[in-house]
């Protein structure tokens, strides 16, 4: 069992995401990460799904996805050269003074942005791979992580190949 990153190009219509996610659910796969948004082609969206499974089961899921009428193209980019990113926002307890200064230093090390300052809190925005986000989160835990939200991974193949319609 290994982690697969699957890029699914779909028509941007109501219910498409539910049908795609439902297919994974019916096959017993837990989706580790899911990100969806419009893409370079008007009327289309790209869904990036991270799921853990063996090659044979993932291949079956891809065949089932191909049967969905709104699915245009499926690309498993796991083994292909690709770049991936995730965005996280973390609200951390940070009293003014040395504690706040320490949190700001951690943010600087990870090239995170401070996007909100409260009386006793800071909200940080960080982008990067999952390991970077986990590392920053673990360093902020001792200060008190009050809220955390992650977007899910997005990924694109490097170079001229990819899941775009025109290639």
């Amino acid at each position: 069992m290994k982690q697969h990153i699957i890029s699914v190009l779909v028509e941007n219509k109501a219910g498409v995401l539910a049908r795609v996610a439902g297919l994974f659910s019916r096959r017993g796969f837990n989706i580790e990460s899911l990100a969806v948004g419009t893409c370079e082609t008007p009327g289309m969206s790209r869904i990036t799904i991270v799921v853990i499974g063996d090659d044979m089961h993932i291949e079956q899921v891809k065949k089932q996805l191909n049967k969905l009428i709104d699915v245009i193209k499926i690309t498993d980019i796991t083994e292909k050269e690709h770049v991936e990113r995730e965005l996280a926002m973390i609200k951390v307890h940070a009293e003014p003074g040395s504690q706040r200064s320490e949190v700001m230093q951690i943010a600087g090390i990870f090239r995170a942005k401070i996007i909100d300052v409260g009386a006793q809190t800071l909200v940080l925005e960080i982008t990067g791979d999952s390991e970077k986000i986990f590392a920053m989160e673990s360093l902020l835990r001792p200060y008190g992580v009050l809220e955390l939200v992650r977007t899910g991974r997005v990924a694109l193949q490097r170079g001229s190949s990819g899941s775009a319609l025109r290639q």
Side-chain angles (χ1 to χ4, degrees):
M1 301 257 269
K2 69 178 182 184
Q3 192 175 75
H4 291 262
I5 302 170
I6 300 170
S7 177
V8 184
L9 190 63
V10 298
E11 292 187 34
N12 189 359
K13 292 181 178 175
V16 172
L17 178 61
R19 286 189 284 280
V20 169
L23 194 145
F24 279 86
S25 173
R26 285 191 301 279
R27 298 287 175 193
F29 288 102
N30 181 38
I31 294 174
E32 300 288 319
S33 170
L34 176 74
V36 61
T38 56
C39 64
E40 72 283 353
T41 307
M44 303 276 180
S45 291
R46 179 168 287 115
I47 303 172
T48 305
I49 303 167
V50 179
V51 63
I52 295 174
D54 61 39
D55 292 342
M56 185 179 77
H57 288 111
I58 296 297
E59 194 59 38
Q60 289 176 346
V61 169
K62 290 185 336 191
K63 287 178 182 174
Q64 293 296 315
L65 283 172
N66 269 320
K67 292 180 181 177
L68 295 178
I69 194 160
D70 299 317
V71 172
I72 308 300
K73 188 172 182 180
I74 301 165
T75 308
D76 186 346
I77 62 173
T78 308
E79 301 294 329
K80 299 174 178 161
E81 282 193 49
H82 66 276
V83 289
E84 60 182 75
R85 292 289 182 269
E86 186 174 352
L87 180 137
M89 292 193 303
I90 306 170
K91 184 187 292 181
V92 62
H93 183 80
E95 294 283 340
S98 64
Q99 187 182 34
R100 182 168 291 197
S101 176
E102 291 171 10
V103 170
M104 291 170 74
Q105 285 178 345
I106 292 170
I109 291 167
F110 286 90
R111 290 188 227 149
K113 295 178 187 169
I114 297 169
I115 58 172
D116 187 58
V117 178
Q120 299 177 328
T121 61
L122 292 174
V123 177
L124 309 171
E125 171 192 305
I126 181 171
T127 57
D129 59 28
S130 298
E131 291 79 21
K132 179 181 177 182
I133 293 171
F134 279 124
M136 183 168 156
E137 179 188 343
S138 66
L139 286 176
L140 293 174
R141 285 261 173 230
Y143 297 96
V145 173
L146 303 172
E147 291 182 77
L148 184 144
V149 62
R150 297 171 76 142
T151 60
R153 278 191 254 175
V154 292
L156 287 175
Q157 280 184 250
R158 291 183 182 269
S160 58
S161 60
S163 61
L165 287 179
R166 285 179 264 137
Q167 292 183 26

